[in-house]
Amino acid sequence: MCGIIGYVGSREAAPILLGGLQRLEYRGYDSAGIATLSGAGRLEIRRAVGKLEKLRRTLQEMPVDGRIGIGHTRWATHGRPSETNAHPHKAGPVAVIHNGIIENYVALREVLLKRGHKLSSETDTELISHLIEERLKQEETLVAAVRAAVSELRGSFSIVVISETEPNKLVAAKTATPLVLGLGDGENFVASDIPAILEHTRRTIVLEDGELAEIGADSASLFKFDGAPVQRSARLIEWDPVKATKGGYQHYLRKEISEQPQAWIDTLSGRVSTGSAEVHFETELLPPAGPQTISRMVMVSAGASWISSLIGKFMVEELCGIPAEVDYSAEFRYRSPAIDSGTFVVAVSQSGETADTLAAMEEAKRRGAYVLAITNTVDSSIARKADAQLYTRCGPEISVTTTKCFLTQIEAFYLLAIHIASRIGRLRPAQAQELLQPAFAIPTQIEAILGQERHIEKIARKYGKARDFLYLGRGINYPVALEGALKLKEISYIHAEGYAAGEMKHGPIALIDEEMPVVVIIPNDNVFDKTLSNLKEVESRNGRIIAVTDHRTPELEEVAWEIIDVPTSNRFLMPVLTTVPLQLLAYHIACYRGTDVDQPRNLAKSVTVE
């Protein structure tokens, strides 16, 4: 959940950088740092582990001057929290700050070491500074060197660069993770989010994927990665404080959908490195006697967390070979559950305050179970009472309807299942590495889905007057159907039902007619043909089929009225990619119908009473 701020102008940079980082603290971080170019043209870097107050004290003890600089708050990705791993990173005359994950980190590191570069940190960011330093020896300008360097990067990133070779310029570049320019009077800014610069200017330009910016005190020029110039007018931000926290979106829900690539990165950060075959959590999550003592797993949860737990069940049973079941937390303690010391209970709650889930985990502990909490909220009641905690790192989720917390709960289960399977010998290192690698592609794949928003909005308007929806899926994608239906009914007030596609003929098929849209999740998996057969039954009853797939075939095109294409991942991560278009579909149907998207009637963000 890293934060970025950059400044060039006539004022001292350090106080502006610190102020911007402070306004980004909500994103979460474990270290912070700034770099300025002094009046003598030398890079000065100050970094500290922990909160901004520690960096502030460091700057009081060792002040820096300069009217150009960059600042960063880091949540560890490659490398544990330490001053050495904190940003900015320096190579020769170049300093870099970076949000995101470089997927080809291992290969680049090996290449740079062979070329004689000396690397002092464990981070992927330091590699970027060395690539730019190397390119500066071949290119005439800093922006040309950055453009050449980013061509070697794969993954999701936003970077800001300063160099002693051009002491009056910042260069920024981005894919997937956000970056915005702020245009002032004789000064300019760059940041990862608008609130960081809103105190200084309301004229902004949002960088698109695959763009660079060359920024001086009186100029800002945009380019594509291939060097083609980009013309884009500044936008005047007329936000009140609430709108500022919405990032310019009409609703928190839409903003939080767009934050999912970064939330995914942040939950992965520090736990897995590109090319790694291991998952490292901050603390031990498994019972003290070891994972071999786990005889079964029970997930207790409610709402969307119950649905993410169903997806987790598929992962745990297939990867770990451990029996797993999912219980509604509200039902769990009223049925004398068969729980003992060999049961590993996972309590899942976005807020960490869900009353039913809290009561369920207390009952499990009373019966001798070891309890792990998966939550987004540090020091919440559920986190405090659990034996161990696995935090998702979404930052604030304001909309009542969960999006990024749901996706990162799936991610948490994925990492946990691989971790347990590796510990008990079910996965060899090569197998674990093969499973982990696709996780690094998820942020850019989500961005690709978000790029289809206009297509999805058209579908929403076409079917937004329907009174009923049916959602179908099979296997691990059956819970996705449940989640899609839940999202739609929560915010649009349309009756929607999620069903296992194979069960459709045992009841829901009676409801299908020409007025009912049927949304089917049909990835290219081992039940693709069976799900297609179910759709032919829908077609024969005139149902209007909306298919979400990574495998568009002539047979599917023949029966589907609409198709939403998604990228391909492995079978465990496909639910992440098929969920995102359903979020957008529900959102745009709700907007079309004029409902209260962020605060739907009768619902609360956290259910803290039974």
Side-chain angles (χ1 to χ4, degrees):
M1 301 179 72
C2 311
I4 277 178
I5 180 74
Y7 171 77
V8 54
S10 59
R11 293 187 281 168
E12 283 295 319
I16 294 169
L17 300 175
L18 277 175
L21 293 179
Q22 188 170 1
R23 282 180 285 278
L24 294 172
E25 279 192 295
Y26 70 89
R27 298 170 69 89
Y29 62 100
D30 52 45
S31 59
I34 68 169
T36 63
L37 277 167
S38 69
R42 292 193 305 272
L43 274 173
E44 296 283 350
I45 295 177
R46 303 288 185 267
R47 302 181 291 192
V49 177
K51 295 301 180 183
L52 279 175
E53 186 55 38
K54 292 188 177 181
L55 178 61
R56 188 174 282 109
R57 288 201 297 269
T58 299
L59 287 165
Q60 289 170 351
E61 295 166 4
M62 296 182 291
V64 297
D65 66 346
R67 298 178 180 182
I68 180 172
I70 53 178
H72 190 267
T73 50
R74 174 183 189 252
W75 199 310
T77 52
H78 291 79
R80 303 303 173 97
S82 69
E83 187 173 330
T84 302
N85 288 332
H87 300 203
H89 285 281
K90 182 179 181 295
V94 173
V96 175
I97 54 178
H98 162 227
N99 286 358
I101 293 177
I102 305 305
E103 293 175 21
N104 57 336
Y105 159 79
V106 173
L108 285 176
R109 184 180 179 87
E110 189 174 317
V111 167
L112 287 168
L113 288 172
K114 285 181 180 177
R115 291 178 188 166
H117 290 263
K118 306 216 176 284
L119 305 175
S120 59
S121 77
E122 305 168 87
T123 68
D124 52 352
T125 305
E126 188 184 8
L127 305 184
I128 302 172
S129 65
H130 282 266
L131 286 172
I132 296 171
E133 177 205 23
E134 194 172 75
R135 292 294 190 161
L136 264 177
K137 297 171 183 175
Q138 305 161 11
E139 305 287 348
E140 294 183 0
T141 64
L142 178 61
V143 70
V146 172
R147 186 167 60 243
V150 297
S151 69
E152 299 187 57
L153 304 179
R154 280 205 331 270
S156 57
F157 59 84
S158 55
I159 62 173
V160 184
V161 185
I162 57 174
S163 175
E164 294 171 349
T165 60
E166 294 185 42
N168 300 311
K169 293 283 176 65
L170 299 171
V171 176
K174 72 146 290 193
T175 66
T177 59
L179 214 54
V180 60
L181 306 184
L183 308 182
D185 185 10
E187 59 184 9
N188 286 318
F189 307 80
V190 60
S192 51
D193 206 353
I194 288 172
I197 59 176
L198 206 53
E199 176 187 359
H200 306 290
T201 182
R202 292 177 177 269
R203 294 174 58 233
T204 64
I205 298 176
V206 176
L207 266 68
E208 303 290 347
D209 290 349
E211 291 182 353
L212 301 97
E214 184 179 37
I215 310 155
D218 298 300
S219 64
S221 302
L222 272 61
F223 306 91
K224 294 286 190 183
F225 280 3
D226 63 8
V230 174
Q231 300 296 325
R232 185 175 302 127
S233 299
R235 174 186 171 201
L236 185 64
I237 303 297
E238 297 179 347
W239 293 348
D240 57 32
V242 172
K243 287 183 179 177
T245 62
K246 289 183 182 177
Y249 290 98
Q250 184 180 359
H251 302 102
Y252 283 111
L253 179 60
R254 181 59 189 85
K255 177 177 185 280
E256 288 156 8
I257 290 172
S258 75
E259 289 173 340
Q260 290 179 126
Q262 188 64 49
W264 185 273
I265 291 168
D266 294 335
T267 299
L268 203 62
S269 296
R271 294 165 174 167
V272 185
S273 299
T274 310
S276 171
E278 295 181 283
V279 180
H280 294 286
F281 294 108
E282 299 87 317
T283 58
E284 178 58 70
L285 302 185
L286 306 182
Q292 291 80 3
T293 63
I294 300 173
S295 61
R296 61 196 274 260
M297 287 180 65
V298 175
M299 295 84 155
V300 290
S301 43
S305 295
W306 180 80
I307 297 172
S308 71
S309 299
L310 288 174
I311 295 171
K313 168 186 167 70
F314 279 90
M315 296 174 177
V316 166
E317 291 195 332
E318 182 167 346
L319 293 176
C320 305
I322 297 174
E325 61 186 77
V326 181
D327 248 312
Y328 282 116
S329 51
E331 302 294 328
F332 178 78
R333 67 182 175 129
Y334 296 110
R335 62 169 184 82
S336 298
I339 300 293
D340 58 25
S341 59
T343 307
F344 184 49
V345 173
V346 184
V348 189
S349 167
Q350 173 263 322
S351 68
E353 302 293 343
T354 309
D356 290 323
T357 303
L358 184 61
M361 64 177 284
E362 288 173 342
E363 176 67 13
K365 292 194 73 170
R366 190 179 69 79
R367 292 171 179 262
Y370 183 89
V371 178
L372 168 69
I374 295 180
T375 180
N376 190 49
T377 311
V378 177
D379 289 333
S380 58
S381 298
I382 287 172
R384 289 196 308 271
K385 294 190 177 184
D387 296 299
Q389 304 78 28
L390 173 49
Y391 291 113
T392 57
R393 298 164 174 168
C394 300
E397 189 176 69
I398 308 301
S399 180
V400 167
T401 298
T402 183
T403 50
K404 57 183 180 175
C405 281
F406 176 79
L407 249 58
T408 54
Q409 285 174 359
I410 298 173
E411 181 181 12
F413 272 118
Y414 189 60
L415 297 179
L416 179 65
I418 293 171
H419 179 66
I420 294 173
S422 297
R423 291 273 297 271
I424 63 178
R426 288 266 303 187
L427 286 179
R428 297 189 303 275
Q431 293 172 306
Q433 183 177 5
E434 184 180 355
L435 286 166
L436 289 168
Q437 197 57 37
F440 291 93
I442 291 292
T444 52
Q445 291 178 317
I446 293 174
E447 288 284 355
I449 296 168
L450 296 179
Q452 297 188 64
E453 184 165 11
R454 287 191 176 182
H455 171 55
I456 296 170
E457 184 178 4
K458 288 179 181 177
I459 295 173
R461 290 180 173 275
K462 188 172 179 180
Y463 300 96
K465 291 183 179 179
R467 296 181 60 185
D468 303 279
F469 268 72
L470 182 62
Y471 285 72
L472 300 176
R474 296 191 77 135
I476 199 171
N477 287 285
Y478 159 55
V480 178
L482 295 175
E483 172 64 7
L486 178 62
K487 284 289 165 287
L488 186 68
K489 70 180 75 170
E490 281 182 329
I491 62 174
S492 74
Y493 313 149
I494 294 174
H495 170 255
E497 189 171 357
Y499 232 81
E503 282 289 294
M504 179 190 63
K505 63 178 73 70
H506 296 282
I509 198 168
L511 301 174
I512 296 172
D513 60 19
E514 65 277 1
E515 299 297 323
M516 176 175 277
V518 178
V519 180
V520 61
I521 298 90
I522 180 168
N524 185 23
D525 57 18
N526 62 323
V527 289
F528 178 89
D529 290 335
K530 290 185 178 298
T531 308
L532 190 59
S533 296
N534 298 140
L535 292 190
K536 290 184 182 296
E537 295 173 329
V538 174
E539 181 203 22
S540 67
R541 289 155 179 84
N542 300 316
R544 302 182 178 191
I545 296 169
I546 303 168
V548 178
T549 187
D550 64 335
H551 187 52
R552 183 187 282 251
T553 66
E555 293 81 6
L556 182 59
E557 289 178 328
E558 184 179 340
V559 298
W561 288 47
E562 318 287 346
I563 295 180
I564 302 172
D565 297 295
V566 297
T568 296
S569 190
N570 69 29
R571 61 190 180 282
F572 301 110
L573 293 177
M574 279 308 298
V576 173
L577 301 177
T578 53
T579 293
V580 177
L582 303 187
Q583 294 171 343
L584 288 172
L585 182 65
Y587 171 74
H588 283 292
I589 289 176
C591 290
Y592 175 68
R593 292 169 70 94
T595 59
D596 190 339
V597 171
D598 285 328
Q599 295 182 313
R601 67 191 182 201
N602 305 330
L603 294 178
K605 183 63 177 172
S606 177
V607 182
T608 57
V609 294
E610 290 193 63

